Amino acid sequence: MSKQVFIPRDSLNQALERLSSKMNVWVPAASGSNKCGSEFVPYRPDLIPLLNRQTTTPPKAVVFPQVETLLSYEYTKDPDNPSRVKIQLDDTSAGSPTLIFGARPCDARGFLLFDQVFTRGPFTDKYYRDRRENSYFATLVCLEWDSACFCSSVGSGPTDMEGSDLRVTPLKDGYLVEALNERAEPILSLMEGDVPTDAQQQDARKLQEEASRQRVGNVDLTRSATDFKGRFEDKAYWRAMVSQCLSCGVCTFVCPTCYCFSITDEMQGLKGERLRSWDSCMFFQYTLEASGHNPRPTRFERYRNRVGHKFSFIPEKYNGMIGCCGCGRCIRSCPVSIDIRRVVENLKENACVCA
Amino acid sequence: MEASATTRLHQEVEASIGRLSTVLGWGAGYDPLHMTPLFVRSPEDIARLVWNPLCVQNLTGYLVKSPGVQPPEEGKKIGICVRGCDSRSLVALIQEKLISRENLYIIGIPCRGTVDIRRLMNESGLSNIRSVRIEKDLLIVDDANGAHNLPLERFLARRCLRCRHPNPVIHDVLLDEPVTPRTTAEDAYRDVESLEAQSLDQRRAFWSVELDRCLRCYACRNACPLCICQNRCIAETRDPRWLTQRVNLPEKFLYHFIHALHLAGRCTECGECERVCPMEIPVTLIKEKLNQITRDLLHYEAGLDPEAVPPLLTFNPAEAGI
Ligand code: SF4
Ligand code: SF4
Ligand code: SF4
Ligand code: SF4
């Protein structure tokens, strides 16, 4: 079995078509004919994959849907003894094979943190695990970073394939696709690409090497855990850094590593569903306690949590792993252009924190 | 043009900062195309103030949303930079007694329109911006691919193309000569009208596709200076729980129509709700429709006269059929 194939640009849809007959295939595509952004959407034959830019939202929802049913339940009364109520629960979960084609290193990397949280602790979240084990990432060597990107600042980079199953190198007239592990090989053969020529292989190596030498982001944000603690009580710091924040959910919802969720029961009559949905630490309700007390009453404590979680608590808990993959989405989509790099960089004791 | 407007702004703020506790303006953000709201709290911050067509945020919400700008200390006022549209938000907030005029020092900026930055970047293929200069009606952007000369007019935001009050309607000082409005009251609703020219099915399809992409991130609500329920918004309250956590169309529809209805006759069409949407959903259109109705039925335009009472914030007991 060949470990790499070449897909000519004009045969990409055919390859995706073949894949989509065997599994769910998600690809980046424009958000609409009059939109600037793009999103991951299920492949359909008339779709034009948009592989030359980062999507507005990461493929997070493919593996971790914004809302999912954890269980459905139904109460029934015993006709012979009406005071007895029986409850029937259904908590089946199932994942079906899913390929995310055209992810970027930052997109795939987001799930490395999810894996820690949902599958490596004392409990395994079977809903996440079932989808994750069935997910495959065909990840692009990234050539299109912009001024909001900073993957190299958090220990990743434009050729980082950690968490990916296939590498896709965009060449002049097509894509060199390589299987990076055994489980990806059947996917590669399903694509039925050409055998890459020596020239194509050389071009791909050259491109990969050039990209791997790039440093995307000019600061090092991997050593901020202690600095964060030093700033925790420094009200003036947070006021200077994030007075503009609107406390909306944009930064968390577009973030590939934000995994916080809420659980609610939705009942109608005697039937109901227990839902898990994305939550956001930027929302007031996130830490609102039943007493009415809220330990994070304002945007300052909430933004502080976002920074602390990603750059201090997570690295301490998970062996230095940073809870941010440097995709820059929270910077790009923030309505008031708050720059998380600046907030983290300035945690250092002597940094200038003028307003 | 940019240099001189910014310089005049610096001079103005330097002259007045002694009487002000904070000045809200704009400053450079993470790259030369992106500006961010700037809270000027000391004279050293003044040099960072910027005014140019990339200053896109409406700053008036910071006056009312908690924790808002600290109330001014002994006899000081809060300074705020406003374009025409922002000044209308101020008027609405003053009408509703959410802020008091006496506490404000309003630096009015006649505005020729601001840029739709996302569209600018997308249509001109910009990335890794190195520098931006503004000369007359040209935006000169230097990026990884060299220099681009981009006519401002081509990249103005939709809200600016339909703006009929580019000159601040309320101010203590004006930074520039007044400019000519781009649109008349008659033309202001042509986007709504062209949408309404479509069949009911087409319109349903339009809104289904648009709102289906809504993330329920509530940036549109939080950025709106007049959306003031804050932590008590029905979209999120848990007790009572009006909306489920589902991300189906009915939930999103309800949220957006509640936002719009709560803004009926109050919305000043500043367009922030649409500008901030990461998913590019044209949500201001819904409010424009309600304002069009307000104009036709109640002959009222929001945010122009601090003394006027918005029609839906009052009622006439003698009115027939009430
Ligand atoms: S940082 Fe930006 S995106 Fe995040 S909550 Fe604040 S305003 Fe919203
Ligand atoms: S915190 Fe921001 S840059 Fe980091 S992964 Fe999340 S969205 Fe991307
Ligand atoms: S609803 Fe939108 S356009 Fe109207 S005042 Fe609020 S943010 Fe501005
Ligand atoms: S800003 Fe956009 S995505 Fe967010 S809630 Fe509003 S319409 Fe939905």
Side-chain angles (χ1 to χ4, degrees):
Chain A
M1 197 185 289
S2 147
K3 302 266 167 72
Q4 55 180 20
V5 298
F6 179 78
I7 313 282
R9 197 167 294 266
D10 50 18
S11 324
L12 179 63
N13 272 42
Q14 286 150 37
L16 294 172
E17 188 78 51
R18 279 190 293 274
L19 288 166
S20 65
S21 67
K22 292 280 190 299
M23 60 201 308
N24 309 313
V25 178
W26 292 72
V27 287
S31 295
S33 56
N34 57 348
K35 306 287 185 225
C36 304
S38 55
E39 295 154 53
F40 281 87
V41 294
Y43 177 79
R44 39 167 215 274
D46 58 337
L47 196 96
I48 305 164
L50 208 57
L51 299 177
N52 63 355
R53 67 187 66 181
Q54 191 194 57
T55 47
T56 309
T57 41
K60 175 160 81 175
V62 179
V63 188
F64 191 68
Q66 185 165 359
V67 178
E68 67 181 311
T69 303
L70 297 181
L71 51 90
S72 47
Y73 51 87
E74 184 170 3
Y75 291 93
T76 40
K77 293 216 163 144
D78 185 343
D80 301 325
N81 180 3
S83 67
R84 258 188 64 167
V85 180
K86 275 196 276 185
I87 180 164
Q88 196 147 27
L89 288 182
D90 177 7
D91 68 346
T92 42
S93 82
S96 53
T98 300
L99 173 69
I100 293 128
F101 187 91
R104 284 172 192 271
C106 49
D107 295 333
R109 200 179 165 87
F111 292 107
L112 299 180
L113 174 62
F114 273 73
D115 291 345
Q116 293 292 338
V117 176
F118 290 100
T119 65
R120 307 276 158 77
F123 304 103
T124 296
D125 186 292
K126 64 171 183 163
Y127 306 94
Y128 173 78
R129 181 203 59 205
D130 290 352
R131 272 190 307 267
R132 175 64 163 143
E133 284 177 351
N134 276 293
S135 300
Y136 300 81
F137 287 84
T139 302
L140 287 160
V141 170
C142 180
L143 308 171
E144 290 95 1
W145 54 87
D146 72 7
S147 38
C149 291
F150 59 101
C151 50
S152 308
S153 297
V154 290
S156 176
T159 55
D160 179 6
M161 289 293 140
E162 211 185 335
S164 298
D165 304 284
L166 300 116
R167 169 165 50 204
V168 182
T169 312
L171 299 177
K172 200 160 62 34
D173 42 14
Y175 303 89
L176 188 90
V177 186
E178 301 157 81
L180 300 172
N181 54 33
E182 250 173 55
R183 67 184 214 130
E185 287 173 16
I187 295 180
L188 199 71
S189 43
L190 261 176
M191 294 185 84
E192 291 178 20
D194 305 340
V195 177
T197 64
D198 286 349
Q200 283 163 344
Q201 294 186 41
Q202 263 172 26
D203 288 351
R205 289 299 151 250
K206 205 164 140 246
L207 212 105
Q208 288 160 12
E209 273 160 31
E210 274 168 23
S212 73
R213 279 198 297 272
Q214 299 290 335
R215 240 199 97 74
V216 179
N218 47 19
V219 288
D220 178 4
L221 304 178
T222 59
R223 271 173 265 269
S224 314
T226 318
D227 296 333
F228 173 78
K229 287 179 194 145
R231 290 287 192 190
F232 192 84
E233 300 283 0
D234 186 348
K235 286 208 165 70
Y237 180 77
W238 299 102
R239 202 171 74 137
M241 286 296 123
V242 295
S243 274
Q244 320 92 298
C245 175
L246 303 172
S247 207
C248 65
V250 173
C251 49
T252 48
F253 283 7
V254 301
C255 176
T257 62
C258 277
Y259 57 78
C260 287
F261 57 81
S262 173
I263 293 180
T264 48
D265 280 1
E266 299 300 344
M267 232 183 135
Q268 257 186 344
L270 293 174
K271 280 189 190 170
E273 279 184 336
R274 178 157 296 175
L275 304 179
R276 166 158 69 189
S277 54
W278 293 355
D279 203 345
S280 166
C281 59
M282 302 310 298
F283 290 162
F284 176 80
Q285 278 77 2
Y286 181 83
T287 44
L288 180 61
E289 294 169 7
S291 66
H293 171 68
N294 194 335
R296 296 190 199 128
T298 73
R299 58 184 179 266
F300 300 109
E301 297 85 23
R302 301 203 273 270
Y303 195 95
R304 179 183 67 189
N305 173 71
R306 183 158 200 273
V307 168
H309 194 197
K310 289 181 184 302
F311 293 90
S312 185
F313 319 145
I314 286 172
E316 286 193 337
K317 195 165 161 96
Y318 301 121
N319 214 1
M321 171 181 242
I322 306 297
C324 161
C325 51
C327 70
R329 284 187 174 94
C330 59
I331 303 171
R332 230 175 270 112
S333 284
C334 173
V336 292
S337 295
I338 289 184
D339 185 348
I340 194 166
R341 289 169 297 196
R342 187 168 165 264
V343 182
V344 177
E345 175 72 355
N346 286 347
L347 289 170
K348 292 199 190 89
E349 209 175 338
N350 299 318
C352 154
V353 291
C354 31
Chain B
M1 181 185 124
E2 178 217 358
S4 66
T6 296
T7 310
R8 277 199 301 286
L9 178 60
H10 289 178
Q11 289 162 351
E12 168 48 41
V13 177
E14 264 156 31
S16 49
I17 191 136
R19 291 171 278 129
L20 307 174
S21 55
T22 306
V23 181
L24 300 181
W26 303 271
Y30 70 90
D31 78 7
L33 265 188
H34 293 83
M35 299 300 142
T36 184
L38 182 69
F39 292 57
V40 175
R41 296 186 176 107
S42 71
E44 299 86 76
D45 300 333
I46 297 177
R48 297 169 56 218
L49 274 172
V50 174
W51 161 248
N52 68 28
L54 301 170
C55 298
V56 291
Q57 294 96 357
N58 179 342
L59 309 170
T60 61
Y62 293 120
L63 297 173
V64 284
K65 304 233 181 169
S66 82
V69 183
Q70 303 300 311
E73 329 123 22
E74 4 64 67
K76 289 195 173 180
K77 297 183 181 223
I78 298 167
I80 183 163
C81 299
V82 294
R83 306 160 293 184
C85 51
D86 309 330
S87 75
R88 295 179 63 197
S89 313
L90 279 189
V91 169
L93 293 171
I94 293 168
Q95 285 175 332
E96 298 182 21
K97 301 194 171 46
L98 293 163
I99 48 176
S100 94
R101 176 69 181 91
E102 297 76 63
N103 286 340
L104 298 178
Y105 183 71
I106 307 173
I107 303 169
I109 309 182
C111 172
R112 284 169 214 281
T114 55
V115 172
D116 181 338
I117 294 166
R118 196 155 33 196
R119 197 155 54 79
L120 173 82
M121 293 191 60
N122 191 45
E123 287 178 15
S124 352
L126 297 176
S127 80
N128 288 302
I129 321 291
R130 293 204 195 103
S131 71
V132 175
R133 253 181 324 129
I134 294 153
E135 274 177 22
K136 286 217 167 60
D137 300 324
L138 269 192
L139 203 59
I140 302 163
V141 184
D142 217 7
D143 79 347
N145 306 316
H148 309 250
N149 289 343
L150 307 162
L152 272 174
E153 193 67 27
R154 232 181 84 204
F155 299 106
L156 290 184
R158 191 175 74 82
R159 63 177 177 191
C160 301
L161 291 173
R162 51 184 298 280
C163 173
R164 50 243 189 256
H165 302 283
N167 301 305
V169 297
I170 184 175
H171 54 81
D172 291 301
V173 59
L174 262 197
L175 208 65
D176 251 318
E177 291 302 311
V179 299
T180 319
R182 208 172 275 281
T183 319
T184 60
E186 289 75 62
D187 279 348
Y189 294 102
R190 56 181 176 228
D191 292 341
V192 166
E193 283 155 12
S194 71
L195 186 60
E196 278 190 313
Q198 298 181 16
S199 71
L200 192 59
D201 282 345
Q202 283 170 319
R203 275 180 280 155
R204 185 184 292 121
F206 173 84
W207 285 113
S208 301
V209 169
E210 290 291 353
L211 291 184
D212 190 40
R213 298 170 44 259
C214 169
L215 297 172
R216 286 183 76 178
C217 72
Y218 307 126
C220 47
R221 177 193 73 191
N222 291 17
C224 172
L226 291 159
C227 235
I228 45 164
C229 302
Q230 298 189 74
N231 306 330
R232 289 173 175 76
C233 176
I234 63 137
E236 284 180 289
T237 52
R238 295 190 178 160
D239 188 17
R241 188 149 44 89
W242 300 101
L243 261 69
T244 76
Q245 288 297 104
R246 287 182 219 277
V247 280
N248 300 340
L249 258 180
E251 266 79 10
K252 298 174 183 176
F253 233 81
L254 189 59
Y255 158 61
H256 284 288
F257 282 82
I258 291 288
H259 185 182
L261 282 167
H262 285 179
L263 269 293
R266 301 172 63 230
C267 166
T268 59
E269 298 170 37
C270 71
E272 275 297 85
C273 47
E274 186 163 315
R275 180 189 72 77
V276 301
C277 177
M279 306 308 284
E280 305 170 73
I281 304 172
V283 285
T284 311
L285 275 174
I286 310 172
K287 291 100 179 181
E288 286 165 32
K289 177 61 200 166
L290 292 177
N291 275 2
Q292 187 197 35
I293 297 172
T294 311
R295 179 195 68 181
D296 295 345
L297 211 61
L298 304 162
H299 315 293
Y300 180 79
E301 195 175 2
L304 294 183
D305 174 8
E307 303 301 321
V309 180
L312 295 180
L313 296 189
T314 184
F315 66 92
N316 174 3
E319 194 176 314
I322 212 166

